[in-house]
Every structure is written in structure tokens, then in C-alpha cells.
Amino acid sequence: LLELQPRHLDGLTNRGFLYSKQGNIEKALQDYTKVVELRPDVWQTRVNRARFYIKLKKYDLAEKDFEYAIELSKDTSRDGRVYYDDSPLEYALSFFKSRKNEEKVLEIFDLLIYSTDHGYTRAEVQQYHDAYFPIDSTIKAKWIIERSKYFSQAGKYEEAIKSSWELVNFIGSPIVKDLNVIFETILEFHLENKKYNEAEELINSLIQDTDNLKYNYQKANLFLRQGKYELVIKELEYLIENDYSKND
């Protein structure tokens, strides 16, 4: 086919894919570069080529393709705002995380949270607003949690806590059913960053405000982390006395 039609789009794509499966990344890259030349206005072609650049450790070229793909996914035609497609952003996020490019990672998180339609057209949003909002808020909440985790894992404790509090805007969505979900997210970051006093204070607050013994169990684990074995035993005895298995 390609002998007769050397610029056949599907033929080049399929041959490039087969080359990649055979481990011939250079030839796969050549075919995907031709695809980019044939379809320079489609973000998918840039993302596909960027993957081969990564395999060849040509990270600067991969970065350019990811940035170009994000720009190609931009839509300014609907209501005066700028919207982006989720998919190239997710691919780029993974890449920039691997390259430890914090500036780009945070930029992409902001786009995922605040500037995407998550696959919905504006007409669908208007027509199915009641159904759309919880779906959209769930996705936004997911990315806020991911951003918060990114901060925590990078040792940016204060930024992780601040980011987590943005989840207040999404209480009622399937991911953030109530305020306790936010508290538990923050508790995770307290523990990850060894902020044990803050963790204990938050757990005590949760114990006081709820009847769920799982927080007493978490308190026992907190004391265990600190080697406070007498307090661990005290909490476990309380759990046994109140039959934790029935409460859980």
C-alpha cells in the first residue's frame, strides 16, 4: 500500500506501530513524523510521536510535541473562555512528572482543574446540566486530590494542605461526599510528613464529631508510629470494649 501511496495516513500509522512492536523505534519515529507532517493540526499525532522521542531519550523534542499537542487541543470558539481536551494534558502531566519539571506539572494541574470540559461539548453541558455537574465536579475533585498528593510527595506540606481545602467547593460529589473526606485527606498528608501533633489533633476532632471507631483505630496506629506502646494498648482496649468489628 505504501509503495503505491507513500503518504497514506493509516498505512504510515500502522507501519509505525508495527515497527515499534518490533523494537525498531527509529523507523517508527520516521513514520510518525510523516504522519505529523500530514496531520499537523491533530494533537494525537504529536502525542504519539512524543512517546517515541521518550523511548529514544530525546526529551527536549518530546517536550515540544507535548506542548504543541496541548495548544492544538485548545478551543476558544464556544463562550469566550479557553477550554482544553483532557487527554493530551494527562499524557503531558505524566511526562513532566517523570522529568521533575514542577513548573509544568503545576501548570497542567491548573488546566485540568479549571480549564477543561472533560469531554463534554458546551451544548451537552447546557442540555444536561443537572447530570453534568456532579460528573464534572467529580473529575475536578479527582485532579485536586492528585495535585495535593503531588505536593505532599514533594515535601511541600503547606501547599498540600492548602490544595486539599479547595475540595470544600466539591462537597456532595461522589468523591467528596462530606467534610470528613477532606479531613481524612489532610490526615494522610499529616502522617506522610510526620506531623504527628497535627495528626493527633485532627483525629481527636474526628472522634469527637463522629461515632465511627475507625478513628480510634487510626489513633492507635499513630501512637504505634511514634513508639507510644502504652497508648496503643489503651486505644486497642477501648476498641475491643466497644466491639470495633461491628462498628466498621
Short mmCIF file of all heavy atoms in Angstrom, two decimals, residues 148-179:
data_model
loop_
_atom_site.label_atom_id
_atom_site.label_comp_id
_atom_site.label_asym_id
_atom_site.label_seq_id
_atom_site.Cartn_x
_atom_site.Cartn_y
_atom_site.Cartn_z
N SER A 148 -2.77 17.66 45.28
CA SER A 148 -2.42 17.68 46.70
C SER A 148 -1.42 16.58 47.03
O SER A 148 -0.45 16.80 47.78
CB SER A 148 -3.68 17.53 47.55
OG SER A 148 -4.63 18.55 47.27
N LYS A 149 -1.65 15.40 46.47
CA LYS A 149 -0.72 14.29 46.70
C LYS A 149 0.66 14.61 46.11
O LYS A 149 1.69 14.26 46.70
CB LYS A 149 -1.27 13.00 46.07
CG LYS A 149 -2.45 12.40 46.82
CD LYS A 149 -2.94 11.14 46.13
CE LYS A 149 -4.09 10.51 46.91
NZ LYS A 149 -4.60 9.28 46.22
N TYR A 150 0.65 15.25 44.96
CA TYR A 150 1.91 15.64 44.33
C TYR A 150 2.70 16.56 45.25
O TYR A 150 3.91 16.38 45.46
CB TYR A 150 1.64 16.32 42.99
CG TYR A 150 2.87 16.91 42.34
CD1 TYR A 150 3.78 16.10 41.66
CD2 TYR A 150 3.14 18.27 42.44
CE1 TYR A 150 4.91 16.63 41.08
CE2 TYR A 150 4.27 18.82 41.86
CZ TYR A 150 5.15 18.00 41.18
OH TYR A 150 6.28 18.53 40.61
N PHE A 151 2.02 17.55 45.82
CA PHE A 151 2.67 18.46 46.75
C PHE A 151 3.24 17.70 47.95
O PHE A 151 4.38 17.92 48.36
CB PHE A 151 1.67 19.52 47.25
CG PHE A 151 1.46 20.67 46.31
CD1 PHE A 151 0.17 21.11 46.02
CD2 PHE A 151 2.52 21.33 45.72
CE1 PHE A 151 -0.04 22.19 45.17
CE2 PHE A 151 2.33 22.40 44.87
CZ PHE A 151 1.04 22.84 44.60
N SER A 152 2.43 16.83 48.53
CA SER A 152 2.84 16.11 49.73
C SER A 152 4.06 15.24 49.46
O SER A 152 5.02 15.22 50.24
CB SER A 152 1.69 15.27 50.27
OG SER A 152 2.05 14.63 51.48
N GLN A 153 4.02 14.51 48.35
CA GLN A 153 5.13 13.63 48.00
C GLN A 153 6.40 14.40 47.69
O GLN A 153 7.50 13.88 47.85
CB GLN A 153 4.74 12.75 46.80
CG GLN A 153 3.69 11.71 47.16
CD GLN A 153 3.01 11.11 45.95
OE1 GLN A 153 3.34 11.43 44.81
NE2 GLN A 153 2.04 10.23 46.18
N ALA A 154 6.24 15.66 47.27
CA ALA A 154 7.39 16.52 47.00
C ALA A 154 7.89 17.23 48.26
O ALA A 154 8.81 18.04 48.20
CB ALA A 154 7.04 17.55 45.93
N GLY A 155 7.25 16.92 49.40
CA GLY A 155 7.65 17.54 50.66
C GLY A 155 7.11 18.94 50.85
O GLY A 155 7.54 19.67 51.75
N LYS A 156 6.13 19.33 50.03
CA LYS A 156 5.52 20.66 50.13
C LYS A 156 4.23 20.55 50.95
O LYS A 156 3.12 20.61 50.41
CB LYS A 156 5.28 21.23 48.74
CG LYS A 156 6.56 21.48 47.95
CD LYS A 156 6.27 22.06 46.58
CE LYS A 156 7.56 22.37 45.83
NZ LYS A 156 8.32 23.46 46.45
N TYR A 157 4.42 20.37 52.23
CA TYR A 157 3.33 20.07 53.15
C TYR A 157 2.27 21.17 53.17
O TYR A 157 1.07 20.90 53.06
CB TYR A 157 3.92 19.85 54.54
CG TYR A 157 2.93 19.81 55.66
CD1 TYR A 157 2.12 18.70 55.86
CD2 TYR A 157 2.82 20.88 56.55
CE1 TYR A 157 1.21 18.67 56.90
CE2 TYR A 157 1.93 20.85 57.60
CZ TYR A 157 1.12 19.74 57.77
OH TYR A 157 0.23 19.70 58.79
N GLU A 158 2.68 22.42 53.32
CA GLU A 158 1.72 23.52 53.41
C GLU A 158 0.91 23.64 52.13
O GLU A 158 -0.31 23.87 52.18
CB GLU A 158 2.46 24.84 53.68
CG GLU A 158 3.20 24.89 55.00
CD GLU A 158 2.26 24.84 56.20
OE1 GLU A 158 1.05 25.15 56.01
OE2 GLU A 158 2.70 24.52 57.31
N GLU A 159 1.56 23.46 50.98
CA GLU A 159 0.84 23.53 49.70
C GLU A 159 -0.17 22.39 49.58
O GLU A 159 -1.25 22.57 49.02
CB GLU A 159 1.83 23.49 48.53
CG GLU A 159 2.62 24.77 48.34
CD GLU A 159 3.94 24.72 49.10
OE1 GLU A 159 4.03 23.96 50.10
OE2 GLU A 159 4.87 25.45 48.70
N ALA A 160 0.20 21.21 50.10
CA ALA A 160 -0.71 20.06 50.05
C ALA A 160 -1.97 20.33 50.86
O ALA A 160 -3.09 20.03 50.41
CB ALA A 160 0.00 18.81 50.58
N ILE A 161 -1.81 20.91 52.04
CA ILE A 161 -2.97 21.22 52.88
C ILE A 161 -3.84 22.28 52.22
O ILE A 161 -5.07 22.14 52.16
CB ILE A 161 -2.51 21.70 54.28
CG1 ILE A 161 -1.63 20.64 54.96
CG2 ILE A 161 -3.71 22.04 55.14
CD1 ILE A 161 -2.29 19.31 55.16
N LYS A 162 -3.21 23.33 51.72
CA LYS A 162 -3.94 24.41 51.07
C LYS A 162 -4.72 23.89 49.86
O LYS A 162 -5.89 24.23 49.66
CB LYS A 162 -2.97 25.51 50.62
CG LYS A 162 -3.64 26.70 49.97
CD LYS A 162 -2.62 27.77 49.59
CE LYS A 162 -3.28 28.95 48.88
NZ LYS A 162 -2.28 29.97 48.47
N SER A 163 -4.08 23.05 49.07
CA SER A 163 -4.74 22.46 47.90
C SER A 163 -5.94 21.61 48.32
O SER A 163 -7.01 21.67 47.70
CB SER A 163 -3.74 21.62 47.11
OG SER A 163 -4.36 20.96 46.03
N SER A 164 -5.78 20.85 49.40
CA SER A 164 -6.85 19.96 49.86
C SER A 164 -8.11 20.73 50.25
O SER A 164 -9.23 20.26 50.02
CB SER A 164 -6.37 19.13 51.05
OG SER A 164 -5.28 18.31 50.70
N TRP A 165 -7.93 21.91 50.80
CA TRP A 165 -9.09 22.69 51.23
C TRP A 165 -9.93 23.18 50.06
O TRP A 165 -11.09 23.54 50.24
CB TRP A 165 -8.66 23.87 52.11
CG TRP A 165 -8.44 23.46 53.53
CD1 TRP A 165 -7.27 23.46 54.23
CD2 TRP A 165 -9.43 22.93 54.43
NE1 TRP A 165 -7.46 22.98 55.49
CE2 TRP A 165 -8.78 22.65 55.65
CE3 TRP A 165 -10.79 22.67 54.32
CZ2 TRP A 165 -9.44 22.12 56.75
CZ3 TRP A 165 -11.47 22.14 55.41
CH2 TRP A 165 -10.79 21.88 56.61
N GLU A 166 -9.39 23.16 48.84
CA GLU A 166 -10.20 23.52 47.67
C GLU A 166 -11.32 22.50 47.43
O GLU A 166 -12.29 22.78 46.73
CB GLU A 166 -9.32 23.63 46.42
CG GLU A 166 -8.43 24.85 46.40
CD GLU A 166 -7.78 25.06 45.05
OE1 GLU A 166 -8.46 24.85 44.02
OE2 GLU A 166 -6.60 25.42 45.03
N LEU A 167 -11.18 21.32 48.03
CA LEU A 167 -12.20 20.29 47.88
C LEU A 167 -13.52 20.70 48.53
O LEU A 167 -14.56 20.10 48.24
CB LEU A 167 -11.71 18.97 48.49
CG LEU A 167 -10.53 18.30 47.77
CD1 LEU A 167 -9.99 17.16 48.60
CD2 LEU A 167 -10.97 17.80 46.39
N VAL A 168 -13.48 21.70 49.39
CA VAL A 168 -14.71 22.20 50.01
C VAL A 168 -15.73 22.58 48.94
O VAL A 168 -16.95 22.41 49.12
CB VAL A 168 -14.40 23.41 50.93
CG1 VAL A 168 -15.68 24.11 51.35
CG2 VAL A 168 -13.62 22.95 52.15
N ASN A 169 -15.25 23.09 47.81
CA ASN A 169 -16.15 23.52 46.74
C ASN A 169 -16.86 22.36 46.06
O ASN A 169 -17.76 22.58 45.25
CB ASN A 169 -15.35 24.30 45.68
CG ASN A 169 -14.75 25.57 46.24
OD1 ASN A 169 -15.42 26.30 46.96
ND2 ASN A 169 -13.49 25.83 45.93
N PHE A 170 -16.42 21.12 46.36
CA PHE A 170 -16.98 19.96 45.66
C PHE A 170 -17.64 18.97 46.61
O PHE A 170 -17.85 17.81 46.26
CB PHE A 170 -15.88 19.27 44.85
CG PHE A 170 -15.23 20.19 43.86
CD1 PHE A 170 -14.02 20.80 44.15
CD2 PHE A 170 -15.85 20.49 42.66
CE1 PHE A 170 -13.43 21.68 43.26
CE2 PHE A 170 -15.27 21.35 41.76
CZ PHE A 170 -14.06 21.95 42.04
N ILE A 171 -17.96 19.42 47.82
CA ILE A 171 -18.68 18.56 48.76
C ILE A 171 -20.04 18.20 48.16
O ILE A 171 -20.77 19.06 47.65
CB ILE A 171 -18.86 19.27 50.12
CG1 ILE A 171 -17.53 19.37 50.84
CG2 ILE A 171 -19.87 18.52 50.99
CD1 ILE A 171 -17.58 20.11 52.14
N GLY A 172 -20.37 16.93 48.21
CA GLY A 172 -21.60 16.45 47.60
C GLY A 172 -21.35 15.66 46.34
O GLY A 172 -22.22 14.94 45.86
N SER A 173 -20.13 15.79 45.78
CA SER A 173 -19.78 14.98 44.61
C SER A 173 -19.45 13.57 45.08
O SER A 173 -19.20 13.35 46.27
CB SER A 173 -18.58 15.59 43.88
OG SER A 173 -17.41 15.47 44.67
N PRO A 174 -19.45 12.59 44.17
CA PRO A 174 -19.18 11.21 44.59
C PRO A 174 -17.84 11.03 45.30
O PRO A 174 -17.71 10.17 46.17
CB PRO A 174 -19.20 10.44 43.26
CG PRO A 174 -20.15 11.23 42.41
CD PRO A 174 -19.90 12.66 42.77
N ILE A 175 -16.83 11.83 44.96
CA ILE A 175 -15.52 11.69 45.59
C ILE A 175 -15.49 12.39 46.94
O ILE A 175 -14.89 11.90 47.90
CB ILE A 175 -14.42 12.22 44.65
CG1 ILE A 175 -14.20 11.25 43.49
CG2 ILE A 175 -13.10 12.40 45.41
CD1 ILE A 175 -13.10 11.67 42.54
N VAL A 176 -16.09 13.57 47.03
CA VAL A 176 -16.08 14.35 48.27
C VAL A 176 -17.50 14.36 48.83
O VAL A 176 -18.24 15.34 48.72
CB VAL A 176 -15.59 15.79 48.03
CG1 VAL A 176 -15.32 16.49 49.36
CG2 VAL A 176 -14.32 15.80 47.19
N LYS A 177 -17.89 13.25 49.45
CA LYS A 177 -19.27 13.11 49.92
C LYS A 177 -19.58 14.04 51.09
O LYS A 177 -20.70 14.51 51.23
CB LYS A 177 -19.53 11.65 50.31
CG LYS A 177 -19.49 10.71 49.11
CD LYS A 177 -19.77 9.28 49.53
CE LYS A 177 -19.75 8.36 48.33
NZ LYS A 177 -20.00 6.94 48.70
N ASP A 178 -18.57 14.27 51.93
CA ASP A 178 -18.79 15.16 53.07
C ASP A 178 -17.45 15.73 53.52
O ASP A 178 -16.39 15.42 52.95
CB ASP A 178 -19.49 14.44 54.22
CG ASP A 178 -18.77 13.17 54.64
OD1 ASP A 178 -17.52 13.17 54.65
OD2 ASP A 178 -19.43 12.17 54.95
N LEU A 179 -17.50 16.55 54.54
CA LEU A 179 -16.30 17.24 55.02
C LEU A 179 -15.26 16.27 55.57
O LEU A 179 -14.05 16.53 55.50
CB LEU A 179 -16.70 18.25 56.10
CG LEU A 179 -15.65 19.29 56.51
CD1 LEU A 179 -15.20 20.12 55.32
CD2 LEU A 179 -16.23 20.20 57.59
#
